[in-house]
Amino acid sequence: MKRIVLVMLVLCGAVAWLDAQEAVTPQRDPFIITIDPKMLGADLGIGYRGFSIIPEADTVFWLIAGGSYEWLAFYRLPDNTLYTEASGYDPIDDPPYTRLSGRLDLGIAQGLAFNESIDANLFEIFLFYKTRYDYVVDDPGAIELILESTLPDRRSIFQNSLFLGLSYNDLNTSDPHLVYHGIYGEMSAEWGPKLLFNNLLGKADFVRLNATVKGFLPLFDLDPESTANTLSAYAGAFFAVDYIAGDTIPINIQQTIGGRYPRPGLGRAVRGFEDFRFDGLFKTVLNLEFRLNLPQYTVIDTVTPGLFFFFDSGYYNFIYYNESGFLFSLGAGVYVNVWKLTSLHAYTALLLNRPRADGSYWVPLLFLLSFHF
């Protein structure tokens, strides 16, 4: 009887100890949720990592879907040459247009090595099948340069592509004081041939190669042990090179810098210039930034205001039309990081080597949703 009581006590103690361990070490969520806000819309990503093909590394099956209503611009003339002031078109009224877009990506990301410090793959290969639909909304009362062009996707396109790449991730953005540190880099290729039903609506036949790297260096934190940030700072750099080739290159490819997380081309990557201006087949950009986090305060969750200063540079080459050039700008602004979900930015920019389409070199006020990189 005493032995039975002793065994029962040991078992009860073991169960209590296991329960305590589960409370201390919660189960890892098998799902990853990402939200990428757009101008008017968002992309929602759902990743499942419930089992691993390679031990000690994550296997993530991804579904990414979204849509948006976007205000864009097209700075090319009807013959597809670069917009100039001498063209006779209005630099303010004629380039802008609106577009409805939808996307669906299905893919897998397989880790080759794991990074415990950020609870994510250190090295990762990924493969996606990407589908998108773009529809340009016609404004009968306005001249729209994109609709004046002869491009096959000037009105709409149904586009499919295969996307393959390799990434390295040692970037830590989890610091409660919002001081980023580490490096992220990737190399990728996107292939959108005709055989993937790319001539059903509009046309696409292209290959894009991209290399991207960004990194952050902490500079100081006045009180690293405090719950809320007092004053801290870090520096950041972003570099990307993008090359496109093919018989029919869609507008959404020409006007962006590719990679797993595409971004608008040089017209926004180099801050101060018009969004989506200076598109082309070869693009490279370098952003340098200093961020100063000011004292945090709590509204439901942590809110972090800050100041930032930047220097941007870029180069584009359209190749087909022998158009190329460098872009340089610098500026400063303020931001508010809300609950570590997104950041609202207001800034001013000074263009250093060439003006905007309207002839100005200084933009007093611009807005951005999320950090530039």
Side-chain angles (χ1 to χ4, degrees):
M1 184 65 180
K2 290 182 179 179
R3 290 181 179 178
I4 295 175
V5 172
L6 181 59
V7 170
M8 293 296 293
L9 289 174
V10 170
L11 289 174
C12 289
V15 170
W17 182 83
L18 289 173
D19 288 342
Q21 291 303 304
E22 289 183 2
V24 173
T25 308
Q27 292 294 318
R28 190 168 183 245
D29 193 338
F31 290 97
I32 305 171
I33 306 296
T34 64
I35 300 176
D36 182 15
K38 304 294 182 181
M39 294 180 185
L40 187 60
D43 290 339
L44 174 65
I46 302 175
Y48 177 73
R49 56 183 179 186
F51 67 92
S52 297
I53 296 175
I54 297 178
E56 307 302 326
D58 277 344
T59 301
V60 187
F61 297 91
W62 282 102
L63 185 153
I64 303 171
S68 60
Y69 184 87
E70 301 173 298
W71 290 266
L72 308 172
F74 183 74
Y75 285 89
R76 293 200 166 274
L77 302 178
D79 63 358
N80 208 31
T81 57
L82 193 66
Y83 170 89
T84 63
E85 291 183 72
S87 65
Y89 288 91
D90 188 288
I92 304 298
D93 295 333
D94 297 342
Y97 69 97
T98 54
R99 183 178 74 190
L100 288 169
S101 293
R103 65 174 285 197
L104 176 65
D105 298 355
L106 297 172
I108 181 174
Q110 175 59 59
L112 305 177
F114 198 73
N115 190 337
E116 295 285 352
S117 64
I118 61 172
D119 192 32
N121 290 322
L122 178 66
F123 287 100
E124 185 175 82
I125 56 174
F126 46 85
L127 174 65
F128 285 85
Y129 188 91
K130 305 174 67 172
T131 297
R132 67 177 292 151
Y133 171 73
D134 293 341
Y135 174 77
V136 175
V137 180
D138 189 4
D139 182 357
I143 296 175
E144 295 173 292
L145 280 174
I146 190 170
L147 296 180
E148 298 278 309
S149 75
T150 58
L151 298 177
D153 59 327
R154 63 188 180 277
R155 293 191 178 274
S156 59
I157 188 172
F158 175 68
Q159 179 182 315
N160 299 272
S161 63
L162 291 171
F163 181 67
L164 172 69
L166 169 68
S167 65
Y168 169 84
N169 188 5
D170 192 31
L171 179 59
N172 194 323
T173 60
S174 63
D175 181 72
H177 292 182
L178 210 67
V179 178
Y180 293 178
H181 63 89
I183 295 174
Y184 174 86
E186 69 174 49
M187 296 183 297
S188 65
E190 185 172 3
W191 181 44
K194 293 179 182 178
L195 61 87
L196 291 182
F197 311 105
N198 279 329
N199 56 0
L200 294 180
L201 185 63
K203 291 183 180 179
D205 186 9
F206 69 93
V207 173
R208 166 148 69 182
L209 304 176
N210 176 273
T212 296
V213 63
K214 63 179 177 179
F216 299 96
L217 177 67
L219 299 176
F220 68 84
D221 190 336
L222 289 187
D223 192 0
E225 303 302 323
S226 67
T227 302
N229 179 68
T230 302
L231 191 68
S232 59
Y234 63 104
F238 176 95
F239 174 78
V241 58
D242 200 76
Y243 174 73
I244 318 164
D247 293 334
T248 311
I249 303 172
I251 298 167
N252 67 77
I253 297 294
Q254 290 187 35
Q255 290 194 331
T256 56
I257 295 174
R260 190 165 174 181
Y261 309 100
R263 57 188 300 188
L266 289 190
R268 187 187 298 176
V270 179
R271 282 164 281 193
F273 290 98
E274 296 91 340
D275 289 359
F276 305 101
R277 193 179 172 199
F278 305 111
D279 55 2
L281 306 187
F282 179 82
K283 300 179 284 290
T284 183
V285 61
L286 173 65
N287 305 123
L288 302 176
E289 194 163 308
F290 170 82
R291 298 173 186 170
L292 180 68
N293 295 321
L294 301 176
Q296 291 174 328
Y297 56 96
T298 300
V299 178
I300 302 177
D301 201 345
T302 304
V303 175
T304 309
L307 307 175
F308 68 100
F309 306 86
F310 65 85
F311 172 79
D312 294 342
S313 60
Y315 173 79
Y316 71 96
N317 192 326
F318 199 77
I319 300 177
Y320 288 168
Y321 296 94
N322 195 29
E323 299 169 2
S324 62
F326 289 92
L327 306 174
F328 299 98
S329 72
L330 56 81
V334 298
Y335 63 83
V336 177
N337 184 274
V338 183
W339 310 330
K340 299 178 183 176
L341 294 177
T342 190
S343 296
L344 309 176
H345 295 66
Y347 64 95
T348 184
L350 178 67
L351 312 184
L352 300 180
N353 68 316
R354 64 186 300 169
R356 288 166 61 93
D358 62 4
S360 63
Y361 280 86
W362 177 51
V363 187
L365 185 61
L366 290 166
F367 297 97
L368 184 66
L369 183 63
S370 81
F371 283 116
H372 194 56
F373 59 90

